[in-house]
Amino acid sequence: MISASLNDRMTRIGPGTPAGAVLRQYWQPAALIDELDHGPLVPVNLMGERLVLVQGDTLHLATRVASADEAPTHYPASEDIQIDPTGPTYPVDLRAGAVWAYLGAGNPPPFPMFDCFRAPESHVFAFKGLWECNWLQALEIGIDPAHASFLHRFLEDEDPSDSYGKQFRDKAGSTEIPMTKLLRDYPRPDIRVDETDYGLKITALRHMDDGRTHVRVTNQIFPDAICIPMSREMTITQWHVPVDDTTCYWFTVFTSFDKPVNKPLMREQRLKEHRLPDYAPKKNRANDYHYDPDEQARLTYTGMGLDINVHDQWAVEGMGPVQDRTQEHLGRSDVAIIRYRRMLRRAMDALETGNGGLPMQDGAAATILGPLSNDAIGDTDDWAAASHQADLARRGACPWDARV
């Protein structure tokens, strides 16, 4: 458990807040590049600020005039937007299918050489979705490796040949075992967490009955992103970006190490679950996330369909707009969440006192490669080597330079 004051300190992100100050020291995805087609002025709600992307001689982010009672997900038409000439402006950058903004003081840090930023445009696809909850609980579900065996439990295994664009539908490692079966059969992983120059490396070990171990490596990228394997072909790098204290967007960059991304299919799959222009999910609290008890009895743990984003959305929104961490009881499987909160607290303290630096804030950020993010199966006595070799093999066969 933590105190209410510490919970506020870690979750509130408006101007002048400790956590908000940390998040503002990093590039944050503000919009999808697709959204620039909406007009010369594109409204953006980010970090408790009402902003607008201005397309002119240069692309930049300006402050817009907004009514005090304007909903955080309200997006006025371009012709109705008024720019506030007294408000701050912020630099932006275009890469990996998204518009990135830096809302902090001083010069922005360099972009790390993560796989999603190194891959050519043909091999990345970006999308986003709205969740009605605080950014921190949205992030924390992504660094809990054990939840996949329960929240995303499938009672039937689909044909992995029809897996494109779908998470947990691939075969596990280099075997013929469906990933959904492995997660179901081995629900209690041994979780190890290592601090890195970008955040946390999280290793979930599922020791199998035949003397082998399934190794799933995921990552927390400081301050508000994760990088996880989607399949043997793709990874997911996902930022959890606050709109305000009680609403956030997940921004995902899908990165392919094999063929160019089928972007029309990926977009079609996701637009079945989201509406435009605000990218709000069609399944939500108002319609019980399309809960179906018959489906729950025969197909999925949640009874809420096959899109795991819906499962996560239900879980994090069900905690309330801001999770009350004064009533939680963390256990062994929450080790990554515990370690991340310590990192966030150190970063907030460092900014306030001026003592110590933040991760990825100097020129060394541009030398950070990877990170390793995959599923592999190997002998239990040598699982680390099996994971490393699987990553090197995928990178070695990659058509773009993915060497680390």
Side-chain angles (χ1 to χ4, degrees):
M1 302 183 200
I2 62 174
S3 67
S5 60
L6 179 55
N7 197 40
D8 283 347
R9 181 173 169 82
M10 294 193 303
T11 55
R12 307 299 179 182
I13 48 73
T17 60
V22 170
L23 295 181
R24 283 170 169 79
Q25 291 301 116
Y26 295 82
W27 288 102
Q28 300 287 349
L32 298 173
I33 289 180
D34 292 347
E35 295 179 79
L36 296 178
D37 295 336
H38 292 180
L41 301 177
V42 181
V44 170
N45 299 324
L46 180 65
M47 305 283 290
E49 301 183 42
R50 301 296 178 257
L51 306 169
V52 56
L53 279 166
V54 181
Q55 302 185 71
D57 294 336
T58 62
L59 179 65
H60 64 278
L61 203 57
T63 305
R64 78 174 194 266
V65 176
S67 60
D69 59 350
E70 185 177 292
T73 55
H74 174 68
Y75 291 89
S78 186
E79 59 270 18
D80 296 330
I81 293 175
Q82 292 182 312
I83 296 175
D84 181 357
T86 66
T89 61
Y90 303 110
V92 300
D93 197 346
L94 305 182
R95 58 181 69 205
V99 181
W100 301 79
Y102 178 72
L103 275 61
N107 294 324
F111 277 86
M113 294 297 286
F114 294 143
D115 295 320
C116 62
F117 296 137
R118 295 172 69 194
E121 289 297 319
S122 58
H123 283 68
V124 293
F125 169 72
F127 200 78
K128 71 177 186 179
L130 180 70
W131 283 354
E132 294 185 359
C133 68
N134 181 259
W135 72 277
L136 185 57
Q137 63 214 61
L139 170 69
E140 289 185 342
I141 198 170
I143 55 175
D144 170 18
H147 89 275
S149 287
F150 299 91
L151 187 62
H152 305 316
R153 178 170 296 203
F154 289 77
L155 307 181
E156 296 179 5
D157 301 309
E158 290 186 318
D159 182 358
S161 65
D162 185 32
S163 66
Y164 191 84
K166 303 173 183 177
Q167 194 173 356
F168 295 139
R169 308 298 210 287
D170 204 355
K171 298 172 184 176
S174 57
T175 72
E176 295 300 309
I177 304 171
M179 187 67 182
T180 47
K181 175 175 171 55
L182 189 140
L183 292 175
R184 186 172 65 245
D185 289 351
Y186 302 98
R188 296 174 180 82
D190 174 15
I191 301 171
R192 306 188 181 190
V193 179
D194 299 294
E195 290 199 20
T196 69
D197 50 6
Y198 57 80
L200 299 173
K201 176 185 175 184
I202 305 163
T203 305
L205 304 174
R206 289 177 166 87
H207 302 298
M208 302 166 65
D209 296 336
D210 61 4
R212 295 181 298 168
T213 290
H214 174 263
V215 187
R216 180 172 174 84
V217 179
T218 61
N219 303 276
Q220 195 290 312
I221 296 176
F222 196 81
D224 56 343
I226 61 174
C227 184
I228 62 177
M230 175 179 175
S231 65
R232 285 173 292 181
E233 179 180 357
M234 290 188 184
T235 60
I236 291 172
T237 312
Q238 184 175 87
W239 282 258
H240 301 86
V241 185
V243 172
D244 57 17
D245 288 339
T246 59
T247 317
C248 65
Y249 276 105
W250 54 261
F251 276 82
T252 294
V253 179
F254 300 84
T255 305
S256 174
F257 289 84
D258 188 5
K259 300 177 181 65
V261 177
N262 186 339
K263 297 186 184 187
L265 176 58
M266 295 279 278
R267 185 175 290 106
E268 177 188 356
Q269 289 174 338
R270 279 143 192 84
L271 286 177
K272 287 179 181 178
E273 300 284 351
H274 296 83
R275 73 184 186 201
L276 298 178
D278 59 359
Y279 292 84
K282 295 177 182 178
K283 297 176 181 177
N284 51 57
R285 185 184 292 108
N287 56 36
D288 292 327
Y289 304 91
H290 290 197
Y291 169 70
D292 180 349
D294 178 63
E295 179 204 301
Q296 189 177 42
R298 61 179 177 80
L299 186 59
T300 68
Y301 176 84
T302 64
M304 296 175 183
L306 301 178
D307 182 358
I308 70 166
N309 273 321
V310 178
H311 310 165
D312 287 335
Q313 175 197 352
W314 165 76
V316 297
E317 291 184 347
M319 298 176 181
V322 181
Q323 178 188 351
D324 181 4
R325 292 174 177 80
T326 66
Q327 301 300 312
E328 71 181 359
H329 297 273
L330 299 180
R332 288 178 57 191
S333 66
D334 299 309
V335 58
I337 292 172
I338 294 168
R339 295 283 291 274
Y340 170 75
R341 291 182 189 174
R342 290 173 181 169
M343 289 184 66
L344 178 61
R345 292 175 65 180
R346 288 200 305 266
M348 292 188 295
D349 292 344
L351 273 186
E352 288 182 325
T353 63
N355 297 322
L358 304 184
M360 296 187 293
Q361 285 295 292
D362 54 26
T367 68
I368 299 175
L369 302 176
L372 187 158
S373 181
N374 68 7
D375 290 285
I377 292 179
D379 292 337
T380 295
D381 292 338
D382 203 16
W383 58 262
S387 176
H388 181 61
Q389 289 303 316
D391 184 57
L392 291 181
R394 178 175 63 179
R395 294 179 182 278
C398 184
W400 49 273
D401 185 6
R403 290 172 296 178
V404 294

